[in-house]
Amino acid sequence: AQKITQTQPGMFVQEKEAVTLDCTYDTSDPSYGLFWYKQPSSGEMIFLIYQGSYDQQNATEGRYSLNFQKARKSANLVISASQLGDSAMYFCAMREGSPHTGTASKLTFGTGTRLQVTL
Amino acid sequence: NAGVTQTPKFQVLKTGQSMTLQCAQDMNHEYMSWYRQDPGMGLRLIHYSVGAGITDQGEVPNGYNVSRSTTEDFPLRLLSAAPSQTSVYFCASSYSETKANVLTFGAGSRLTVL
């Protein structure tokens, strides 16, 4: 079974609108972390937001928020007020285990969602 | 700070040739790792290290060697390149004492094996 599933290969959103990128995960480890990364056409991987499995509140970072539904094993990224510069590939990733051990390097990535922001 | 620096950015090899992808970080991070990115497959872990002298295999280690003699450097060696190793390679590092231990990635190295 896929550990990280991103079911939307591509998404379009109009500038200034909000968009939700879906991510579901599969793990039996009670301690895990979920990450979203942005990859623009230039190719670098840019960290956006993190949610720990024990975090009580959904993570927010500026225009990015993570809709964490633990029972459904979903960690959707919400981008508010989309901008043209948000056009990029977005990857959801999971770390299983503590962030303070070697497993912290072992991220499992989804296949990504390509977001295109239009005027 | 330069962050995570990878060299070269682009490389073309012939089948059977060997090469080393260099990775250096100046953030005093203990953890370092190598990923490869293939079209439609996301990133997959090749090897990782939790500190100088300690390395371990990831999901796709075959055909690659690593060593970690210093905290700063984590080179990836291709011993005998194959066309299946055509990919974009990312080096990453992180610091274990933070809550999230977020990986910081280098800019990537695009390798083509003919």
Side-chain angles (χ1 to χ4, degrees), chain A residues 35 37 39 43 47 50 55 91 95 99-102 104-107 109-111, chain B residues 31-33 35 37 40 42-43 45 48 50 90 96 98-103 105:
Chain A
F35 302 79
Y37 282 86
Q39 186 176 45
F47 166 71
Y50 168 80
D55 293 342
F91 290 97
R95 177 207 71 239
H100 308 300
T101 67
S105 285
K106 300 173 70 174
L107 294 190
F109 283 81
T111 53
Chain B
Y31 296 169
M32 296 186 75
S33 49
Y35 288 81
Q37 182 178 25
L43 278 71
L45 179 65
Y48 67 101
V50 299
F90 287 95
S96 69
T98 57
K99 172 178 178 287
N101 202 339
V102 175
L103 268 61
F105 285 88

Side-chain angles (χ1 to χ4, degrees), chain A residues 39-102:
Chain A
Q39 186 176 45
S41 57
S42 51
E44 70 267 34
M45 296 290 289
I46 301 168
F47 166 71
L48 295 178
I49 196 166
Y50 168 80
Q51 181 84 39
S53 60
Y54 296 118
D55 293 342
Q56 294 297 315
Q57 293 191 325
N58 286 351
T60 60
E61 291 284 352
R63 293 186 300 111
Y64 304 108
S65 61
L66 202 152
N67 184 1
F68 182 47
Q69 298 188 39
K70 199 169 182 176
R72 297 179 61 184
K73 294 189 174 179
S74 74
N76 299 339
L77 176 69
V78 181
I79 305 175
S80 63
S82 296
Q83 302 172 356
L84 294 177
D86 294 334
S87 294
M89 197 76 169
Y90 289 81
F91 290 97
C92 180
M94 177 174 65
R95 177 207 71 239
E96 294 177 279
S98 165
H100 308 300
T101 67

